[in-house]
């Protein structure tokens, strides 16, 4: 029987793509939870649903200005993240991977952050804007909507895409979830009309893949040519160029955002968080994108 340390190592996708905080904090706790829930024969999808309630609850807590509500928000979002780590690790340990699980997993994170952005909007509504003699009101909604829908979503989806690309070249198709629009669209069109749930998933997932592909024209040219002539030398050169960019894919996923939310809400300046999305995170996104495209064009 595998030890806890061996199971933990098996739950990592790769050393290149794992964050320090996840390796030393989130994943061990997630695995402990996974082993506990697995003994009780709880399905991973149930854990994902619990994470939705925890994450949405965090958004509600962040809508308050007092310290106790905000500490509760921090704890709820942390436990939502532990559950998110748990359901993936449980699915890998038990082999209980389902289409509904894939749908719930993506849906859960979206609901967390929609709730958090709405919580910030409600919190700011009657508060004065810094250095101005007017309240945030509608402008808080505009700020959070732009940060969330126009910036956050693009940053997260491209960071995830680059991570899956790296895993594909590092571990092969089996170690990656790198998919493409045509493949997912073909799956959608092959499904019977009555299979509504699967059709909804593959329709949305195909469009998600399409948005990633539209923003990476140089990579699309590169992957077509590499598949025609899969050179080991080029694969190694790609990994050498891609590896330094993995820190940006990590910074643009959950942990850095969560820490920024914790700090700004606890200090009662939640408007700083969407501004960080618009400036610091966007600068990292643009740098990561330009370097990756330049690497692919060069190779």
């Amino acid at each position: 029987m595998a030890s806890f340390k061996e199971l933990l190592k098996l739950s990592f996708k790769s050393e290149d793509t794992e964050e320090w905080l996840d390796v030393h904090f989130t994943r061990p706790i997630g695995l402990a939870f996974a082993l506990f829930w697995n003994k009780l024969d709880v399905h991973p999808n149930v854990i994902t649903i619990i994470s939705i309630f925890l994450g949405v609850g965090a958004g509600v807590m962040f809508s308050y200005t007092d310290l106790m509500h905000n500490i509760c928000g921090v704890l709820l979002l942390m436990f939502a993240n532990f559950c998110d780590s748990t359901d993936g690790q449980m699915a890998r340990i038990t082999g209980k991977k389902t289409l509904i699980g894939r749908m719930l997993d993506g849906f859960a994170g979206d609901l967390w952050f929609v709730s958090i952005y709405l919580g910030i909007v409600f919190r700011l509504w009657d508060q004065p804007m810094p250095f101005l003699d007017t309240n945030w009101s509608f402008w808080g909604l505009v700020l959070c909507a732009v940060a969330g829908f126009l910036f956050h979503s693009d940053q997260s989806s491209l960071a995830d895409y680059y991570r899956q690309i790296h895993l594909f070249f590092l571990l092969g198709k089996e170690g990656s979830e790198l998919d493409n629009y045509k493949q997912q669209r073909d799956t959608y069109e092959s499904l019977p009309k009555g299979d509504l749930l699967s059709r909804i998933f593959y329709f949305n997932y195909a469009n998600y893949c399409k948005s990633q592909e539209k923003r990476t024209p140089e990579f699309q040219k590169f992957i077509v040519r590499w598949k025609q002539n899969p050179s080991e030398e080029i694969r190694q050169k790609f990994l050498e160029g891609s590896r330094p960019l993995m820190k940006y894919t990590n910074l643009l996923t959950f942990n850095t955002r969560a820490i920024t939310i914790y700090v700004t809400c606890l200090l009662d300046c939640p408007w700083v968080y969407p501004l960080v999305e618009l400036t610091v995170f966007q600068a990292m996104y643009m740098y990561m994108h330009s370097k990756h495209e330049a690497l692919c064009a060069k190779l």
Side-chain angles (χ1 to χ4, degrees):
M1 187 174 178
S3 67
F4 184 87
K5 188 176 285 189
E6 288 169 335
L7 286 172
L8 183 62
K9 194 169 183 179
L10 287 171
S11 72
F12 297 157
K13 291 182 178 178
S14 80
E15 291 184 8
D16 289 354
T17 57
E18 291 290 348
E19 296 180 71
W20 184 92
L21 193 62
D22 283 337
V23 170
H24 298 282
F25 184 61
T26 308
R27 298 283 189 227
I29 294 174
L31 180 58
F33 280 21
L35 296 173
F36 172 75
W37 290 116
N38 191 45
K39 280 188 177 180
L40 298 180
D41 200 28
V42 176
H43 198 280
N45 292 350
V46 175
I47 311 301
T48 307
I49 292 168
I50 292 172
S51 83
I52 291 173
F53 284 102
L54 292 170
V56 170
V60 173
M61 293 298 103
F62 289 135
S63 68
Y64 293 89
T65 57
D66 63 282
L67 185 62
M68 282 309 300
H69 275 96
N70 281 267
I71 290 174
C72 286
V74 170
L75 293 174
L76 285 171
L77 191 55
M78 286 176 65
F79 275 96
N81 190 41
F82 293 149
C83 286
D84 182 60
S85 182
T86 296
D87 62 20
Q89 287 168 300
M90 270 188 77
R92 284 189 286 273
I93 291 169
T94 63
K96 296 176 181 176
K97 296 180 181 180
T98 64
L99 176 62
I100 291 175
R102 287 184 72 188
M103 293 177 71
L104 282 172
D105 199 44
F107 187 55
D110 291 341
L111 279 180
W112 300 355
F113 278 98
V114 167
S115 175
I116 289 165
Y117 283 118
L118 286 174
I120 292 172
V121 170
F122 283 116
R123 179 172 177 159
L124 291 176
W125 196 269
D126 294 321
Q127 288 193 8
M129 296 175 71
F131 315 115
L132 295 173
D133 189 24
T134 184
N135 289 345
W136 278 99
S137 60
F138 179 72
W139 292 109
L141 176 61
V142 171
L143 176 64
C144 288
V146 171
F149 290 108
L150 298 184
F151 286 73
H152 179 151
S153 59
D154 278 358
Q155 293 162 8
S156 296
S157 68
L158 201 64
D160 178 61
Y161 192 48
Y162 285 157
R163 183 181 284 180
Q164 297 308 325
I165 290 168
H166 188 85
L167 288 169
F168 174 81
F169 279 91
L170 182 69
L171 304 174
K173 180 59 181 172
E174 292 303 312
S176 166
E177 295 174 1
L178 182 62
D179 295 314
N180 62 72
Y181 170 73
K182 185 181 183 306
Q183 177 191 57
Q184 302 307 312
R185 183 71 191 188
D186 288 346
T187 302
Y188 163 74
E189 290 176 353
S190 71
L191 292 167
K193 300 288 185 185
D195 195 354
L196 188 61
L197 196 63
S198 296
R199 285 177 67 84
I200 290 170
F201 172 78
Y202 282 105
F203 178 82
N204 289 324
Y205 188 49
N207 288 330
Y208 176 76
C209 293
K210 188 176 184 179
S211 74
Q212 293 172 321
E213 290 167 10
K214 281 180 68 176
R215 285 176 284 153
T216 55
E218 295 298 337
F219 172 71
Q220 303 312 317
K221 296 175 194 172
F222 168 71
I223 191 69
V224 168
R225 293 183 64 179
W226 187 82
K227 284 183 176 179
Q228 291 170 350
N229 182 25
S231 158
E232 177 62 21
E233 181 185 357
I234 296 297
R235 186 182 78 88
Q236 291 299 332
K237 285 183 178 179
F238 178 84
L239 288 171
E240 286 172 16
S242 173
R243 193 166 284 116
L245 300 179
M246 288 303 99
K247 61 177 174 286
Y248 296 102
T249 70
N250 291 336
L251 288 168
L252 289 170
T253 49
F254 177 80
N255 288 331
T256 311
R257 282 192 166 88
I259 291 167
T260 308
I261 291 166
Y262 300 157
V263 171
T264 56
C265 286
L266 289 171
L267 294 177
D268 198 21
C269 53
W271 52 270
V272 172
Y273 168 64
L275 286 181
V276 171
E277 289 273 14
L278 300 175
T279 54
V280 178
F281 291 165
Q282 185 63 14
M284 288 192 290
Y285 165 83
M286 292 170 68
Y287 176 79
M288 175 186 71
H289 181 228
S290 64
K291 294 292 284 185
H292 201 278
E293 284 288 276
L295 170 66
C296 294
K298 179 182 176 183
L299 292 176

